Amino acid sequence: MSFLPTEVFPVIVPTRSSLKSFNFYIVKNEDGLSLIDAGVNTTKCWEFFNQALEDHGFTLDDFDQIILTHNHEDHVGLVDRIVAQHDIPVYVPERSIHRLKRDRSFFQMRIEFFAELYKEMGCGEAGERQVEKLKEAVQYHEEKKLHAELTAIGPDTFSTLTPVETPGHSPDHMIFHSSSEKMIFGGDLLLKHISSNALVEPDRKGNRIRTVLEHERSLERCAALDADVVYAGHGELIRDHRELIEKRLHGIQRKANRILKQIQSGIHTASELAQTMYQDKYEIQFSLVMSEIIGHLDYLEAHGKVEKEKRDGVCYYSSIN
Ligand SMILES: [Zn+2]
C-alpha cells in the first residue's frame, strides 16, 4: 500500500470570546481528504473555510469525509452546508448521534435530570430559572438538529487515525491519534490557554456522569499517546501535550482542594459553595459554575475526602478526616 504522509491545513476562525478561535482541520492522508470538526454555523466561518480551500487549492468536491470530535455546536456548524453541496459520509462518536439528531425524548429527560439535580444541590430558585431556560431552549434545539446522515465511528473506521474515547468535556468526546505521524486531533480535551470545562450531563439513561473524574482519566489517556502536536479545537496548537496535561491535572486537584477548604469552614451544599466561590458568576454562568462545583465534589468524594448525606432532598457534603 502506498503511504501518503499526512498534511494538515488548519482553519482558524478568530472569536472575541475566551476561546480565542474556532479551529477545524483539513487533513490529507491515505484516507483521502477529511475535515476534522466543522466550526460554527456562521457566514464568517463559512467564508474562512472557503478561503482556506482556495488558499490550498482544494474544492468541496475533494473531500471524502467529515469526522467530528463531539456534539458541541461550535464543532459541527458547517456540516449541513457542506453535505448539502457535496454528499459525503459524516463520522461521529456513537454517543453523539442522539444529541446531534436532537432526540426529543432524550432532551425531555435531560430537563427532568437537571431539575432533579439542581434541587439536590440546593439551588432553589436559581435552579428553577435554569430549568425554565432549558425548557425554552427545546425549540432552539430542534432548529439545531443536523440533517446529514451520521455514521458511528468504530475502532477500524479509519486506516490512518485511531479514535480514542475521551469523555469529560462532553460525554461523547473523542480524539484521533496518528501514531506514525505523531499527531493528535484533540477537539476540546486539551486547550493551550484555558482549562477545558467538564460539563455535567446525564448519560442516555439519565444517570449523572462523573464528568471531572472522566475528564481526568481522558487526560491521562491522552498523555499516554506519543505526539509532537495536538491540533486543538480552540486557540493555539499544542507542542508539549504531556507537560500541559500535568498542569491541567494539578489544576483539578487545586480546585478540589479549594472546595474542600470551604467545606471544612462550614459550607455544605453545592449551591452555597458555588455562591461563595464564584459570587456573581453563580447567576450569570449558572450551569458552568454548578458543573465545576459538582464535578469537583465528585472528585473529592471519589478520593475519600468528603461524604454526602441527603436531607429533605438536598445533598450536604462534609469532610472526612
Ligand atoms: Zn466543546
Side-chain angles (χ1 to χ4, degrees):
M1 191 195 297
S2 73
F3 189 77
L4 192 70
T6 304
E7 280 186 275
V8 181
F9 307 94
V11 185
I12 313 270
V13 184
T15 167
R16 274 197 286 267
S17 83
S18 62
L19 295 171
K20 282 193 176 172
S21 61
F22 302 110
N23 306 346
F24 49 113
Y25 299 95
I26 301 165
V27 181
K28 191 173 189 243
N29 60 22
E30 65 180 277
D31 285 332
L33 193 67
S34 308
L35 188 67
I36 300 189
D37 279 344
V40 278
N41 189 13
T42 60
T43 306
K44 178 181 170 185
C45 192
W46 180 243
E47 285 170 1
F48 267 75
F49 174 53
N50 281 286
Q51 189 60 52
L53 294 183
E54 203 184 308
D55 291 348
H56 303 299
F58 298 120
T59 69
L60 273 187
D61 287 340
D62 296 325
F63 283 94
D64 299 289
Q65 57 195 356
I66 300 174
I67 303 169
L68 301 178
T69 58
H70 64 301
N71 75 86
H72 288 168
E73 61 181 280
D74 54 345
H75 291 258
V76 311
L78 299 180
V79 168
D80 277 344
R81 287 200 210 206
I82 295 167
V83 172
Q85 292 189 28
H86 176 53
D87 195 8
I88 43 173
V90 181
Y91 292 103
V92 305
E94 198 270 328
R95 281 186 281 189
S96 304
I97 294 176
H98 60 288
R99 291 174 188 267
L100 289 170
K101 287 295 181 187
R102 305 297 173 191
D103 180 286
R104 239 175 198 283
S105 60
F106 173 75
F107 282 95
Q108 198 54 45
M109 175 275 283
R110 191 171 171 271
I111 292 173
E112 286 153 27
F113 165 84
F114 279 109
E116 182 57 33
L117 176 68
Y118 292 148
K119 233 183 265 170
E120 263 184 18
M121 294 300 155
C123 297
E125 279 177 22
E128 285 163 25
R129 275 198 296 277
Q130 182 65 22
V131 170
E132 282 311 308
K133 274 192 208 161
L134 287 177
K135 284 182 187 161
E136 284 162 23
V138 167
Q139 182 59 37
Y140 176 73
H141 274 147
E142 297 272 308
E143 289 161 17
K144 297 274 168 177
K145 169 178 170 171
L146 282 197
H147 296 283
E149 194 181 316
L150 307 176
T151 306
I153 295 167
D156 304 316
T157 301
F158 315 112
S159 62
T160 52
L161 286 175
T162 308
V164 182
E165 288 190 9
T166 48
H169 168 70
S170 67
D172 55 338
H173 200 284
M174 263 189 181
I175 60 174
F176 303 99
H177 180 226
S178 163
S179 54
S180 60
E181 304 283 323
K182 295 192 178 188
M183 55 175 72
I184 294 169
F185 295 91
D188 286 351
L189 174 67
L190 189 64
L191 304 178
K192 176 120 185 169
H193 64 292
I194 44 172
S195 62
S196 175
N197 295 304
L199 301 166
V200 166
E201 281 289 334
D203 67 12
R204 223 177 158 173
K205 293 189 186 120
N207 298 311
R208 187 161 72 75
I209 302 165
R210 299 321 196 228
T211 37
V212 168
L213 292 167
E214 287 210 337
H215 186 59
E216 187 189 31
R217 275 197 295 273
S218 294
L219 286 171
E220 284 163 355
R221 211 169 288 150
C222 179
L225 302 174
D226 188 17
D228 295 329
V229 58
V230 176
Y231 292 99
H234 306 278
E236 289 170 37
L237 309 188
I238 297 160
R239 301 275 174 195
D240 48 358
H241 73 299
R242 289 185 171 135
E243 205 177 305
L244 187 59
I245 287 170
E246 238 359 82
K247 203 169 132 187
R248 294 288 177 254
L249 292 172
H250 279 132
I252 293 173
Q253 252 175 36
R254 254 201 325 274
K255 205 173 271 181
N257 283 334
R258 286 215 311 273
I259 294 175
L260 181 61
K261 285 213 175 78
Q262 296 292 339
I263 294 172
Q264 287 164 340
S265 77
I267 297 173
H268 297 293
T269 67
S271 159
E272 286 170 327
L273 287 163
Q275 290 173 65
T276 309
M277 297 180 73
Y278 289 92
Q279 290 150 16
D280 290 354
K281 274 196 183 165
Y282 175 68
E283 294 283 343
I284 303 162
Q285 295 185 291
F286 180 83
S287 64
L288 210 62
V289 163
M290 286 310 296
S291 281
E292 286 288 294
I293 297 287
I294 295 168
H296 289 84
L297 283 169
D298 289 341
Y299 177 95
L300 289 169
E301 212 182 346
H303 286 81
K305 305 275 188 183
V306 302
E307 58 189 355
K308 66 171 186 271
E309 189 197 344
K310 214 166 165 179
R311 292 198 300 270
D312 299 328
V314 174
C315 292
Y316 293 85
Y317 289 83
S318 49
S319 73
I320 300 171
N321 296 315

